[in-house]
Amino acid sequence: RENLAAIYLSHHAFLKGLDLLDEGLIILPYNLRLTMMKARFLVEQNHHKQALVLLQDHHPDMNHSPDFYGLLAVIYENLGRTSEAGHLYQSLTRVDPTNGRYWLGLAIALERQHNRQQAIEAYTRASRHGNSFEVSALAEERLKNLHG
């Protein structure tokens, strides 16, 4: 189900993917991976509140499920709950200090909270630990803007 749902997600076949995941969640209602996949589908469709409600019943250990908390932080950020997103990203950078996405998320949250110097430090780490070209490029672009 996960693999097929991932294919549906990549082809933007949201309804088919959601139906498939809902069927799986009927069989395994507390399956974290299926729940996260459904939340990703909802996020892709800008249904952030629904995704948050879906995830709120789960509380996995952050050390074993950092992706869960990364997704939750993205949802918080999209809902304008910047402080909560920032706290999650801060914790995630302690769990995996080499993950550029977490540093980038933290930097964005800090910048939105007008913590310029801390944002610069987080963007610098995001650039250094960028897991992808997009992460590094965005971090470097934001650094240039903050430096003037």
Side-chain angles (χ1 to χ4, degrees):
R1 286 186 191 277
E2 286 179 60
N3 291 338
L4 185 54
I7 291 169
Y8 285 144
L9 182 62
S10 70
H11 288 92
H12 302 286
F14 298 120
L15 294 178
K16 287 182 180 181
L18 285 171
D19 286 344
L20 179 70
L21 292 168
D22 283 338
E23 290 171 8
L25 287 166
I26 288 170
I27 298 166
L28 300 166
Y30 299 105
N31 184 289
L32 183 62
R33 291 165 51 131
L34 292 176
T35 301
M36 287 176 58
M37 179 76 68
K38 182 175 179 180
R40 284 189 187 102
F41 270 80
L42 292 170
V43 166
E44 285 294 318
Q45 295 180 291
N46 293 316
H47 298 299
H48 299 100
K49 288 181 183 179
Q50 287 176 291
L52 180 60
V53 168
L54 184 65
L55 296 180
Q56 284 180 330
D57 290 338
H58 297 273
H59 305 284
D61 182 288
M62 186 177 282
N63 292 306
H64 296 112
S65 300
D67 288 343
F68 173 87
Y69 291 97
L71 178 57
L72 188 58
V74 166
I75 293 167
Y76 281 147
E77 191 67 40
N78 284 308
L79 289 173
R81 295 168 65 173
T82 305
S83 179
E84 290 160 292
H87 288 298
L88 280 178
Y89 282 124
Q90 182 71 48
S91 296
L92 286 164
T93 61
R94 286 193 289 272
V95 170
D96 185 359
T98 63
N99 189 314
R101 289 178 313 201
Y102 299 155
W103 285 108
L104 181 62
L106 176 60
I108 291 168
L110 289 167
E111 185 177 1
R112 288 184 177 162
Q113 294 173 333
H114 308 289
N115 293 326
R116 188 175 181 274
Q117 189 55 43
Q118 289 176 321
I120 288 171
E121 292 170 19
Y123 279 126
T124 300
R125 288 184 181 221
S127 176
R128 190 176 333 136
H129 298 296
N131 306 75
S132 68
F133 173 76
E134 291 84 13
V135 169
S136 295
L138 181 56
E140 289 171 20
E141 178 184 325
R142 295 304 310 143
L143 277 170
K144 287 179 189 173
N145 288 341
L146 286 174
H147 283 302

